[in-house]
Amino acid sequence: MNQEQLLKILEDIKNGLINPAEALHLLKDFTVKDLGFAQIDTHRELRTGYPEVVFGQGKTPAQVRDIIKYMNTRNNNILATRVSEEVYHEVRKECPEAIYHPEARAITVKKVEIKVPDTFIAIIAAGTSDIPVAEEAAVTAEIFGNRVERVIDVGVAGIHRLYDKMKLIRQARVNVVVAGMEGALPSIVGGLVDKPVIAVPTSVGYGANFGGLSALLGMLTSCASGVSVVNIDNGFGAGFLASMINKL
């Protein structure tokens, strides 16, 4: 429930359109819905402006299905991350309008239209192998009402490819830069733009990449100003933060 929905209930009580018992029914699950195996934070959008997101990894297909089934009764867009196609097929049994994004490994359900700002978010992937994390960021930003422009395979091994895209990148309100290996690309972008850069290290790389640790440390020690860093492979976190910045 968001602020507009709560305000409407209060105004309807004031104007005699609903009685207190009816309002109580509408507010019954106002803060938490207890499913036994999960407690859905139905109050989150009112507090933060964004509804709860389902992290699918570690949950059974049936658990994800039942969480989304309940969330689908409320007037919020739904996002579930780190889910397989098997989980998606289970979800569709209760929510046929759900859409699966295979590269992002995400499920979305669009319940409401969100006003999209005139500004946009650029999602920049250093390599094709970084696309899954970049797509998780892009799908996250899009379901929360943002225009996203994708720039793919412009890593430092062929840096001239990045320069061809700089006009678009400089027009973005915020840039999400996704890279594995040594994680150098966010520093380069950070030195070329006057907008925030959200760096996303990925686990893509050979042995000494240490599952993304080399990219993470490289980004954390960036000399470029205006570069912030999220966790390894955390496309969701980057897309969420980019959405918040784009709507300031």
Side-chain angles (χ1 to χ4, degrees):
M1 181 174 293
N2 58 37
Q3 291 186 23
E4 291 180 359
Q5 292 166 331
L6 178 58
L7 184 60
K8 186 179 186 305
I9 291 173
L10 296 175
E11 288 177 342
D12 285 348
I13 296 172
K14 176 184 175 182
N15 296 326
L17 298 177
I18 60 175
N19 60 45
E22 292 170 325
L24 181 62
H25 175 73
L26 293 172
L27 296 172
K28 182 174 62 175
D29 298 326
F30 180 56
T31 58
V32 173
K33 175 64 176 179
D34 189 352
L35 298 181
F37 59 87
Q39 299 209 39
I40 300 174
D41 183 359
T42 57
H43 191 252
R44 188 170 303 183
E45 185 172 14
L46 187 63
R47 299 193 315 270
T48 69
Y50 291 84
E52 184 173 11
V53 173
V54 182
F55 181 71
Q57 187 175 322
K59 295 181 176 67
T60 67
Q63 287 171 338
V64 177
R65 177 202 65 206
D66 289 347
I67 290 170
I68 291 180
K69 178 183 177 181
Y70 173 75
M71 294 175 78
N72 199 37
T73 65
R74 307 181 71 84
N75 196 36
N76 302 115
N77 290 340
I78 301 169
L79 171 64
T81 65
R82 304 299 173 93
V83 289
S84 65
E85 197 161 351
E86 176 193 0
V87 172
Y88 168 63
H89 290 309
E90 187 67 27
V91 167
R92 283 208 65 196
K93 294 177 183 178
E94 297 291 346
C95 185
E97 64 269 39
I99 296 173
Y100 187 60
H101 307 265
E103 287 184 317
R105 294 180 299 156
I107 294 171
T108 57
V109 183
K110 193 169 186 178
K111 304 277 290 181
V112 294
E113 291 291 337
I114 300 175
K115 180 176 172 55
V116 177
D118 294 333
T119 53
F120 69 90
I121 299 165
I123 308 285
I124 306 164
T128 303
S129 297
D130 299 309
I131 286 177
V133 178
E135 274 301 303
E136 185 178 77
V139 169
T140 298
E142 287 172 335
I143 193 64
F144 291 134
N146 299 274
R147 178 164 72 92
V148 170
E149 297 290 340
R150 293 162 171 81
V151 178
I152 305 298
D153 198 22
V154 290
V156 298
I159 199 63
H160 59 289
R161 301 172 298 180
L162 176 70
Y163 297 146
D164 289 341
K165 302 292 185 180
M166 283 311 302
K167 181 178 179 180
L168 173 69
I169 290 169
R170 287 190 172 116
Q171 291 172 343
R173 180 73 180 274
V174 55
N175 291 286
V176 175
V177 185
V178 183
M181 303 290 186
E182 79 295 334
L185 188 61
S187 293
I188 294 171
V189 175
L192 295 172
V193 301
D194 60 354
K195 307 290 173 42
V197 172
I198 302 171
V200 189
T202 74
S203 53
V204 173
Y206 297 106
N209 171 263
F210 295 112
L213 184 59
S214 64
L216 173 64
L217 295 177
M219 293 174 186
L220 286 171
T221 55
S222 173
C223 184
S225 303
V227 176
S228 61
V229 188
V230 297
N231 206 348
I232 298 168
D233 292 335
N234 188 11
F236 162 74
F240 191 99
L241 179 58
S243 176
M244 296 183 77
I245 293 172
N246 193 41
K247 295 186 175 186
L248 287 175

